Amino acid sequence: MTYTPFFVHGADRPSRWLITCDHATNTVPPDVNGGDLGLPREDMERHIAYDVGAYEVSKHLGEILNAPVIAANFSRLVIDPNRGEDDPTLLMKLYDGSIIPGNRHADDDERERRLNMCYRPYHEALAQMAALPHAVIVSMHSFTRQLRGREPRPWHIGVLHTSDERFSGPLIQRLQAEDDLCVGVNEPYTGVLPGDAIDKHCTAFGRPNALIELRNDLIADHAGQREWAERLAVTLQDALEASDL
């Protein structure tokens, strides 16, 4: 099969929403170290390689909202699509205690090759889709409940945002109204990361957006993925209505 660096679902769906998933898969392209970064299977199946469950939630959410979905088809360990090209963490050699053997000797030429093979085609396609009139962009991610040697994280869901809170503000308020949720605001990560996908495709153009982080143990199976997609669809629609965008 011919390798493709991204997937698009429902390109012609007419919704205002655009769902993106930067860390959708743990795929290592055949032309990168023979399709193997040298990590054991258990490492490639955990959060260091991709956002567990996020792609499935994204696809379900796109179907419910009748919205297009774009997802990157390469592991964040190959090259991270949610980093700027000048970010020192763009091509990781050590992540959450795991050394990535296939990246150990990756030099500037290899970095450029991976940018051209994976990163740039994804961002070019995303840029075209994000330019839809009146688009509201939701970037779906997941996070691990506990990093090695760290305290467990309490949040069920996090919303990351920049100073533009036109949509993220109402979304946070709507989520915080749910009694059963612990909601992180710019947790477990900051929403301000120069050069990341939101900065590149939303902040730079004044497009309303939110980056959603779901705790990955909550979306590890089909039932959890469907449940959260259905829940988020209602929440997102309510927040958009409240935002008056």
Side-chain angles (χ1 to χ4, degrees), residues 126-143:
L126 201 165
Q128 291 181 354
M129 297 178 72
L132 295 170
H134 311 298
V136 180
I137 298 169
V138 177
S139 181
M140 292 300 307
H141 293 255
S142 71
F143 66 96

Side-chain angles (χ1 to χ4, degrees), residues 5 10 19 37 137-138 162 191 204 233 237:
I19 312 301
L37 291 175
I137 298 169
V138 177
T162 63
Q237 295 279 38

Side-chain angles (χ1 to χ4, degrees), residues 79-123:
I79 198 153
D80 195 331
N82 196 35
R83 296 292 184 270
E85 291 196 16
D86 60 350
D87 193 302
T89 65
L90 179 70
L91 200 164
M92 294 289 281
K93 301 189 179 186
L94 173 68
Y95 197 160
D96 193 22
S98 292
I99 296 171
I100 298 91
N103 291 347
R104 183 174 182 178
H105 300 295
D107 57 14
D108 289 345
D109 287 343
E110 176 62 11
R111 174 182 167 279
E112 186 70 13
R113 196 176 72 88
R114 295 187 193 185
L115 282 168
N116 287 329
M117 182 193 312
C118 303
Y119 180 105
R120 288 171 180 151
Y122 170 65
H123 280 288

Side-chain angles (χ1 to χ4, degrees), residues 9 37 51 63 68 73 77 87 101 116 143 157 163 176 184 189 194:
H9 304 277
L37 291 175
D51 282 356
E63 291 171 359
N73 183 32
L77 297 180
D87 193 302
N116 287 329
F143 66 96
I157 184 171
S163 58
Q176 288 176 333
Y189 310 106

Side-chain angles (χ1 to χ4, degrees), residues 1-200:
M1 294 179 62
T2 303
Y3 170 72
T4 179
F6 60 89
F7 299 120
V8 174
H9 304 277
D12 296 328
R13 292 173 184 162
S15 170
R16 286 187 66 186
W17 302 101
L18 171 61
I19 312 301
T20 72
C21 191
D22 298 324
H23 300 141
T25 78
N26 58 1
T27 300
V28 180
D31 288 344
V32 175
N33 207 49
D36 186 349
L37 291 175
L39 284 168
R41 184 183 185 91
E42 56 266 28
D43 270 344
M44 290 303 296
E45 294 294 333
R46 69 189 189 99
H47 71 97
I48 67 168
Y50 74 122
D51 282 356
V52 177
Y55 186 27
E56 289 74 16
V57 173
S58 298
K59 288 187 287 185
H60 292 321
L61 186 59
E63 291 171 359
I64 297 167
L65 294 175
N66 201 22
V69 178
I70 181 169
N73 183 32
F74 49 94
S75 171
R76 69 199 307 165
L77 297 180
V78 171
I79 198 153
D80 195 331
N82 196 35
R83 296 292 184 270
E85 291 196 16
D86 60 350
D87 193 302
T89 65
L90 179 70
L91 200 164
M92 294 289 281
K93 301 189 179 186
L94 173 68
Y95 197 160
D96 193 22
S98 292
I99 296 171
I100 298 91
N103 291 347
R104 183 174 182 178
H105 300 295
D107 57 14
D108 289 345
D109 287 343
E110 176 62 11
R111 174 182 167 279
E112 186 70 13
R113 196 176 72 88
R114 295 187 193 185
L115 282 168
N116 287 329
M117 182 193 312
C118 303
Y119 180 105
R120 288 171 180 151
Y122 170 65
H123 280 288
E124 287 166 5
L126 201 165
Q128 291 181 354
M129 297 178 72
L132 295 170
H134 311 298
V136 180
I137 298 169
V138 177
S139 181
M140 292 300 307
H141 293 255
S142 71
F143 66 96
T144 186
R145 184 170 190 173
Q146 187 172 14
L147 294 167
R148 289 177 174 174
R150 305 284 185 88
E151 292 296 316
R153 292 158 158 172
W155 311 284
H156 301 103
I157 184 171
V159 178
L160 312 189
H161 65 88
T162 63
S163 58
D164 180 358
E165 300 180 44
R166 290 172 296 163
F167 176 64
S168 59
L171 176 59
I172 291 165
Q173 291 180 355
R174 175 65 176 78
L175 288 167
Q176 288 176 333
E178 299 289 325
D179 293 337
D180 62 333
L181 292 183
C182 180
V183 180
V185 179
N186 277 343
E187 298 284 1
Y189 310 106
T190 177
V192 182
L193 185 61
D196 70 358
I198 290 292
D199 186 41
K200 190 188 301 284

